Amino acid sequence: MAVRTRTLPNLLTVCRIAVVPVFVVVLVIGQHQLGLRLVAVGLFLVAAATDKVDGWLARRWNQVTDLGKILDPIADKLLMGAALVALSALGELWWWVTAVILVREIGITVLRFALLRYVVLPASSGGKLKTVLQSGAIGLFLLPLWSLPQPVTWAAWVTMAAAVVVTVVTGIDYLRTAAQIRREQS
C-alpha cells in the first residue's frame, strides 16, 4: 500500500520553506525602513504560524506522514536559522546566540537523520516549547525596536535568553534519548 505524502499539511510545510528566502530579502532590504520591516515581521509570523497549523491539520485529518515528521523540523530550522543569521548579520543580535542555537539545531537534525534507520524521532514537548520561545524571541527582535519603547527591547532579550536556555536543555535531552535508542537497538 502506498503512503500518501501529498497532503495539505505537507504542502503548508513546503510553503514555509519557500517563504524563507523572500523573508530574508525583505528583512535585509528593509532593515531600517519601517514598512518593509513590518512586512518581514508579517512574513515571519505567517510562516511560523503554519508550523502550528500544519501539525494540527495532520493530526486532525489523520495525515501524519514520515515525510511531514522529517520536513516539519527542517522547515522550522530553516526559518529560525535564516532569521537568526540575518539579525546577526544586521548587527541586531549577538553572533554567539545565533551560533549556540544553530549548532544545536543542526546537530539535532543530523542526529534525527542518523536515527532514521531505527525510528523517526518526533519533536518532544520541550522541543515544541523551544520552538515557541525561539519564534517569540525572533518575532520581537524583528520588530523595529529602534522605534518602540525600551521595555520591548528588554522583553526581546529576556525572551531570547529563555529560548537559548531551553534550546540547550532540550538539545541535551535529545542526545540522551538518542543514546538510549542506540543502546536498545544494539
Side-chain angles (χ1 to χ4, degrees):
M1 180 164 92
V3 176
R4 187 167 175 234
T5 59
R6 292 184 183 165
T7 65
L8 180 58
N10 286 351
L11 177 63
L12 287 172
T13 301
V14 170
C15 287
R16 186 162 71 249
I17 293 168
V19 82
V20 169
V22 177
F23 155 72
V24 170
V25 167
V26 171
L27 177 61
V28 171
I29 290 173
Q31 178 184 9
H32 294 298
Q33 298 176 23
L34 185 61
L36 284 176
R37 190 64 179 243
L38 294 176
V39 169
V41 172
L43 287 170
F44 177 82
L45 293 176
V46 167
T50 65
D51 180 37
K52 187 74 170 166
V53 173
D54 64 11
W56 181 81
L57 288 174
R59 288 184 298 279
R60 182 172 173 90
W61 294 346
N62 196 28
Q63 294 182 342
V64 175
T65 65
D66 283 348
L67 177 64
K69 288 180 188 177
I70 293 167
L71 282 182
D72 186 67
I74 290 171
D76 295 339
K77 285 161 186 44
L78 285 173
L79 179 63
M80 300 299 168
L84 290 165
V85 168
L87 286 167
S88 291
L90 296 173
E92 299 180 23
L93 181 66
W94 295 324
W95 275 106
W96 74 263
V97 170
T98 296
V100 166
I101 292 173
L102 290 182
V103 164
R104 185 269 193 205
E105 298 300 339
I106 293 167
I108 297 305
T109 299
V110 168
L111 179 67
R112 277 193 164 126
F113 278 111
L115 290 175
L116 276 179
R117 71 180 111 157
Y118 305 113
V119 65
V120 173
L121 189 62
S124 67
S125 57
K128 292 175 184 178
L129 172 62
K130 178 249 342 156
T131 300
V132 168
L133 285 170
Q134 285 180 3
S135 296
I138 292 168
L140 287 167
F141 269 92
L142 289 172
L143 291 172
L145 294 176
W146 68 86
S147 67
L148 297 172
Q150 190 65 34
V152 178
T153 301
W154 299 336
W157 281 108
V158 167
T159 308
M160 186 60 77
V164 169
V165 169
V166 172
T167 296
V168 170
V169 169
T170 57
I172 293 167
D173 185 54
Y174 276 117
L175 291 173
R176 192 180 68 228
T177 300
Q180 180 181 348
I181 289 169
R182 286 284 288 142
R183 279 192 305 274
E184 290 170 0
Q185 299 300 321
S186 297

